[in-house]
Amino acid sequence: METLEKDDKNGMHHIRLTSLGTDIFRFICIRDLLSLWDEERMTYLLNKFTALGSTVDDVKAFMQPESTSGDVTYILKVELGSCMRKIRIGGRATLEELHEAIQRAVDFDNDHMYCFTIGFGRTKKSYYHPYCRDEAYLANEVYLQEILLYEKMKFEYLFDFGDCWRFEITVEKILPEYTENAGVIEQKGRNPEQYWDEF
């Protein structure tokens, strides 16, 4: 991931150029942005982000100085109703591998299609099961560290297009280290019952 470094008296040393950042910078004049005080800068950015359907939390995350280049590890909070699982997974894992980790974490049968939806507004993209060849983005073709860009970022995992199990995922932490195998590090609540016993 690239960053645009600026040393200015107002303390903005890094402006994150993510896919969201690229879109945002179409509307931003850097010279104007760097001339503003911190409070004014937040308002300026919030107005730009609002046009894309974003929130003040996204603005704060966009402005934070950390870089997620290189090998990282994610702590992801996966929630569905009262069921919560925290998964530790490496940044070089694909969305397909995250899907498999979630399936193991909630003891589902991994027998249906799925998709992850990431972003908002015009930057929103859905990454589908590898069998969905007609879709533009496939889950096995993208690494987590390419798309999970900042802490507190949220996205959706939809499993089974019939029963529609919708999991909300939050990026809790991004650690500057490598993790080989994904695993659950914390859990609360029972597993969702994938199939109800009708007899």
Side-chain angles (χ1 to χ4, degrees), residues 13-29:
H13 301 298
H14 301 278
I15 298 175
R16 190 188 297 273
L17 289 183
T18 63
S19 57
L20 170 61
T22 300
D23 207 12
I24 286 294
F25 269 74
R26 296 175 188 169
F27 307 97
I28 289 178
C29 174

Side-chain angles (χ1 to χ4, degrees), residues 174-187:
I174 304 177
L175 307 173
E177 57 192 54
Y178 176 65
T179 292
E180 179 73 35
N181 299 309
V184 175
I185 60 171
E186 185 181 333
Q187 62 183 36

Side-chain angles (χ1 to χ4, degrees), residues 9-10 14 18 20 42 44 51 54 82-84 93 109 118-120 124 142 148 162-164 173 195 197:
K9 63 182 179 181
N10 295 327
H14 301 278
T18 63
L20 170 61
M42 181 66 73
Y44 179 93
S54 186
S82 61
C83 174
M84 186 281 293
D109 286 344
I118 299 173
F120 43 83
K124 182 183 291 186
V142 62
L148 304 187
D163 287 340
C164 292
K173 292 182 181 178
Y195 298 112
D197 188 353

Side-chain angles (χ1 to χ4, degrees), residues 12-118:
M12 177 177 276
H13 301 298
H14 301 278
I15 298 175
R16 190 188 297 273
L17 289 183
T18 63
S19 57
L20 170 61
T22 300
D23 207 12
I24 286 294
F25 269 74
R26 296 175 188 169
F27 307 97
I28 289 178
C29 174
I30 294 296
R31 185 171 298 170
D32 290 346
L33 183 63
L34 294 175
S35 70
L36 299 174
W37 294 102
D38 288 342
E39 296 80 6
E40 297 172 321
R41 189 180 296 132
M42 181 66 73
T43 301
Y44 179 93
L45 282 173
L46 182 58
N47 289 336
K48 304 302 180 183
F49 276 57
T50 299
L52 294 176
S54 186
T55 67
V56 68
D57 285 338
D58 295 304
V59 179
K60 291 177 180 177
F62 180 78
M63 293 176 68
Q64 65 187 24
E66 294 85 357
S67 174
T68 57
S69 60
D71 289 327
V72 297
T73 288
Y74 294 96
I75 306 299
L76 303 178
K77 182 167 70 172
V78 181
E79 298 176 285
L80 177 67
S82 61
C83 174
M84 186 281 293
R85 304 288 182 265
K86 286 188 182 179
I87 295 175
R88 181 185 182 96
I89 188 168
R92 283 192 274 165
T94 64
L95 280 173
E96 166 77 0
E97 291 172 287
L98 175 57
H99 152 74
E100 293 169 352
I102 295 171
Q103 290 287 301
R104 292 192 300 271
V106 297
D107 198 27
F108 274 14
D109 286 344
N110 195 7
D111 54 354
H112 291 281
M113 299 291 190
Y114 68 87
C115 74
F116 290 89
T117 300
I118 299 173

